[in-house]
């Protein structure tokens, strides 16, 4: 699965930029509040408008404080998957329950320096785990391969039937790094610059999907 990130798109032309990646599995939307992370991007009104302009399921990644208050409205608006950060939530399981009750899949994201082990037990309450392979807050950063051990740990649990969720990665995914991530057991790849900084974003999505599939026995099995 490829999820182009509109963080790298032209914000003045979001409907057109979504159309340029028609056929993508998800459209990744980075919501930043200038508190949990230093950057500020967009919020619920823009997401609501984008939902009317595209049929691609929206994968909303909330890099925000107080997800218990702010995450469920994204589900209510029609987002397909709503992911929030473990580091921002006092009770991640309760937030996930509220997101699901509002009609969306629930995702948990962890920063590069956050260990996965404390969260393994609660992942049964989630549909997606988003492993950050850059520090959240800005696009265009370099891929951090050391985070792939987290993906391998969760992949083993999924393959053993102990968990049922999509393992997603976000940060620095491009033609040079996607194979490493695929080999580690990633299901869904968020790509920003590697898609939108090209002459043909749709073709870039197709190429990334093929590269991931050819590199991973998990994805081709």
């Amino acid at each position: 699965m490829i999820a182009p990130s509109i963080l790298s798109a032209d914000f003045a032309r979001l409907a057109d930029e979504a159309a340029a990646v028609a056929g993508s599995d998800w459209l990744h939307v980075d919501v930043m509040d200038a508190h949990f992370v230093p950057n500020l991007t967009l919020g619920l009104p823009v997401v609501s408008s984008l939902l009317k302009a595209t049929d691609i399921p929206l994968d909303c990644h909330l890099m925000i404080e107080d997800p218990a208050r702010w995450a469920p409205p994204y589900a209510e608006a029609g987002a397909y998957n709503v992911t929030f950060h473990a580091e921002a939530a006092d009770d991640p399981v309760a937030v996930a329950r509220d997101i699901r009750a509002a009609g969306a899949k629930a995702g948990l994201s962890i920063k590069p320096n956050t260990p996965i082990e404390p969260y393994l037990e609660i992942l049964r309450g989630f549909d997606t785990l988003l492993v950050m392979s850059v520090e959240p807050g800005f696009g265009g950063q370099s891929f951090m391969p050391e985070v792939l051990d987290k993906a391998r740990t969760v992949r083993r649990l999924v393959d053993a039937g102990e968990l049922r969720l999509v393992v997603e990665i976000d940060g620095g995914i491009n033609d040079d790094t996607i194979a490493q991530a695929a080999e580690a057991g990633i299901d869904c790849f968020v790509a920003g610059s590697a898609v939108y900084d090209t002459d043909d974003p749709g073709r870039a999505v197709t190429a990334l999907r093929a590269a991931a599939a050819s590199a991973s026995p998990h994805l081709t099995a």
Side-chain angles (χ1 to χ4, degrees), residues 24-189:
S24 298
D25 300 280
W26 293 349
L27 191 64
H28 191 79
V29 182
D30 286 311
V31 176
M32 307 181 193
D33 65 356
H35 295 286
F36 181 72
V37 293
N39 203 1
L40 180 67
T41 54
L42 49 80
L44 186 57
V46 175
V47 169
S48 296
S49 294
L50 190 56
L51 282 162
K52 299 173 185 176
T54 182
D55 293 330
I56 305 172
L58 293 197
D59 176 33
C60 292
H61 176 197
L62 309 185
M63 288 170 267
I64 63 173
E65 292 182 350
D66 198 8
R69 176 181 180 185
W70 298 112
Y74 285 86
E76 293 166 359
Y80 178 79
N81 186 70
V82 179
T83 295
F84 63 94
H85 271 265
E87 303 89 354
D90 294 328
D91 189 345
V93 174
V95 179
R97 188 182 307 121
D98 289 345
I99 290 171
R100 284 173 158 181
K105 305 290 186 183
L108 187 71
S109 184
I110 52 175
K111 294 181 179 181
N113 293 325
T114 299
I116 188 61
E117 287 75 15
Y119 301 99
L120 292 177
E121 285 299 318
I122 69 169
L123 286 179
R124 292 181 178 85
F126 288 84
D127 304 289
T128 307
L129 172 69
L130 178 59
V131 177
M132 293 299 300
S133 44
V134 298
E135 287 296 331
F138 297 92
Q141 299 180 61
S142 297
F143 181 74
M144 301 169 69
E146 59 269 25
V147 307
L148 293 178
D149 282 341
K150 301 176 193 178
R152 294 185 185 100
T153 295
V154 176
R155 179 83 262 152
R156 286 192 291 270
L157 294 173
V158 173
D159 289 346
E162 297 182 37
L163 292 174
R164 294 184 62 186
L165 47 69
V166 172
V167 186
E168 186 177 9
I169 196 163
D170 181 5
I173 294 296
N174 55 39
D175 294 337
D176 297 323
T177 59
I178 195 166
Q180 299 176 57
E183 290 166 359
I186 297 296
D187 300 303
C188 183
F189 307 82

